[in-house]
Amino acid sequence: MLRPLDPNLAVYGAYWNRGVACNPAAIHARALELAPHIQGVWAVSARHRDRLPPGTPHVIGGSLAYWRMMATATYLINNSGFPGGFTKRPGQIYLQTHHGTPLKTMGLDRRGYPARTGGISFEKIVAHADQWDFSLSANPHSTEIWDRVYPAGYEHLNLGHPRNDIFFTATPERTAAIRRELSLDPDCTVLLYAPTHRDYRKGYVPHLDPERLARELGPQYVVLVRAHHFYGRSLPPIGAGAGVVDVTGHPSVEELCLVSDALITDYSSLMFDYACLDRPIISHVPDWEAYRASRGTYFDLLSGRPGDTPGAVATTEDELLELFRTGEWRSARTDGLRAAFRERFCPYDDGHAAERVVRRLFLGGTEPDRPATGERPISPVRERPRPVTPGPSRG
């Protein structure tokens, strides 16, 4: 006889069992406040258990305890998928939060790029989506894509990304404290460099020399380097010369965004979240044609059209440096591009997404309304970066 479902048990997971992170983490934290009767347990792999915050309730994926939890939990919340190919029981509620707004093709749309699918079973993709009850979305673009590439009978929750709440709720004091933890001078200009992985290449291949960038910009700049988690512990050492800090192992990319004055990225979905902060976004895209041909994209990041391009664009290191030397990285033109990008991709984010999800999922659907377009507050967590002219190179 099957054990009954526990109406107050929720199992969380993120990034294929890597630990407490992303939208599930923000939902869990808010549920502890608004729905304390819900016991939250995290599914994590054995090789990542050491990364869990102390005292985190968890089970190891594949263990007997894991299968017992998966069989009896009423609520399942994940931004990717649970291990082991479980089959959802009647009465269980599965929320798929996803882990970013899609620029690259996802789900069934990847069928057009068979050389780069790595043996993916599209039948399993559809079977997985068939188990979702809810699919979380941060913008109409995502909702449209999820509806097509994961065809199933789930309900779309157009409520925003809970992981982005911190961009609207963090105080200047908290931001300053994080900067102190990272030993960042309060007067320096912090650039967060966060590239994504490439499907068409094996292993980590650097496309930007952060030491050169920091050296050329001068001592008033610091470059934080955040490599993609797909490279895991096989990542080679990242240069950490003067003005460069390797933050790949930092537990919260959201905190790194808070302390930065601008984002340098390529095709990472972090650009969509960072737009909530209304700070400069620079696209460093030296291999755009190769990336687009190998994986496919939903819009042309380099087009310069409002809503498609988030800010300044560079295809070489020299072009990137020139953006800073001329001030184009934060010009009136790039401010306008960012405003249109933010309007398109951050319409539901306002600092209350996690509350809306918790109320919908655990408290009978009494979530407050999401913000109307044009009514979102500007994130107050850090002043706009000062116009800094790069100084002399470091010797």
Side-chain angles (χ1 to χ4, degrees):
M1 182 176 178
L2 293 175
R3 297 187 181 189
L5 294 179
D6 184 339
N8 297 323
L9 178 60
V11 177
Y12 294 87
Y15 295 120
W16 300 274
N17 320 310
R18 283 181 169 84
V20 181
C22 193
N23 292 314
I27 294 169
H28 183 207
R30 199 72 175 108
L32 291 175
E33 301 173 7
L34 298 178
H37 61 287
I38 299 295
Q39 177 192 3
V41 178
W42 283 83
V44 64
S45 67
R47 67 188 298 262
H48 291 107
R49 68 189 306 174
D50 60 322
R51 299 181 179 180
L52 291 174
T56 300
H58 67 278
V59 289
I60 301 300
S63 67
L64 180 61
Y66 167 77
W67 288 116
R68 185 179 297 116
M69 288 287 183
M70 291 298 292
T72 58
T74 293
Y75 304 99
L76 308 171
I77 301 98
N78 208 308
N79 74 354
S80 51
F82 289 100
F86 79 98
T87 299
K88 191 182 69 172
R89 289 178 58 185
Q92 289 186 309
I93 300 171
Y94 187 174
L95 168 63
Q96 173 58 242
T97 73
H98 306 281
H99 51 275
T101 291
L103 166 65
K104 63 187 178 185
T105 56
M106 301 293 291
L108 296 188
D109 279 351
R110 297 191 66 184
R111 290 176 296 179
Y113 303 88
R116 303 300 172 188
T117 56
I120 289 175
S121 168
F122 293 103
E123 290 78 9
K124 289 183 179 180
I125 286 176
V126 174
H128 182 214
D130 272 337
Q131 302 204 67
W132 305 346
D133 295 282
F134 302 109
S135 171
L136 189 62
S137 182
N139 48 65
H141 164 78
S142 294
T143 302
E144 177 185 348
I145 299 301
W146 302 148
D147 201 43
R148 183 177 71 248
V149 305
Y150 301 118
Y154 51 82
E155 177 183 345
H156 292 286
L157 297 184
N158 300 317
L159 302 177
H161 270 169
R163 69 183 184 186
N164 292 344
D165 286 351
I166 189 174
F167 297 149
F168 299 91
T169 61
T171 63
E173 290 75 19
R174 179 176 181 184
T175 303
I178 300 169
R179 286 173 71 93
R180 287 194 297 272
E181 291 171 4
L182 293 170
S183 300
L184 298 173
D185 188 315
D187 295 323
C188 70
T189 298
V190 179
L191 306 177
L192 173 60
Y193 174 51
T196 192
H197 74 288
R198 268 67 168 170
D199 292 288
Y200 69 92
R201 283 183 169 167
K202 292 184 178 180
Y204 177 72
V205 178
H207 290 267
L208 176 66
D209 180 355
E211 292 188 4
R212 181 195 175 197
L213 179 64
R215 183 173 63 251
E216 294 287 343
L217 292 182
Q220 68 270 44
Y221 283 82
V222 172
V223 180
L224 305 181
V225 182
R226 174 81 166 191
H228 193 273
H229 64 80
F230 270 12
Y231 299 115
R233 299 178 182 183
S234 63
L235 188 73
I238 293 175
V244 178
V245 181
D246 181 1
V247 291
T248 300
H250 194 281
S252 172
V253 69
E254 291 81 18
E255 289 190 351
L256 299 177
C257 290
L258 282 176
V259 302
S260 66
D261 295 294
L263 172 68
I264 303 172
T265 188
D266 39 33
Y267 322 114
S268 172
S269 65
L270 185 61
M271 73 177 83
F272 302 101
D273 303 316
Y274 198 85
C276 291
L277 289 167
D278 198 27
R279 300 176 192 170
I281 301 170
I282 301 102
S283 299
H284 178 248
V285 286
D287 59 340
W288 168 248
E289 294 302 330
Y291 184 86
R292 195 175 193 186
S294 66
R295 181 60 189 258
T297 60
Y298 290 118
F299 56 90
D300 187 350
L301 189 67
L302 276 63
S303 70
R305 289 190 297 267
D308 285 0
T309 304
V313 175
T315 59
T316 67
E317 282 191 16
D318 288 340
E319 288 180 1
L320 180 63
L321 286 165
E322 190 66 14
L323 291 174
F324 284 95
R325 292 191 181 108
T326 63
E328 179 63 14
W329 67 289
R330 60 181 309 276
S331 66
R333 185 187 70 85
T334 56
D335 284 355
L337 288 172
R338 184 175 68 255
F341 193 82
R342 186 173 186 265
E343 190 66 28
R344 180 182 180 187
F345 293 112
C346 309
Y348 309 149
D349 287 323
D350 63 347
H352 301 286
E355 177 180 352
R356 287 190 288 269
V357 173
V358 167
R359 292 188 182 280
R360 179 67 178 85
L361 193 64
F362 300 130
L363 300 176
T366 58
E367 78 277 7
D369 292 336
R370 65 175 188 259
T373 300
E375 295 181 0
R376 300 181 316 282
I378 297 293
S379 172
V381 296
R382 180 163 163 78
E383 294 181 358
R384 296 277 299 281
R386 300 169 300 284
V388 177
T389 301
S393 300
R394 292 184 176 91

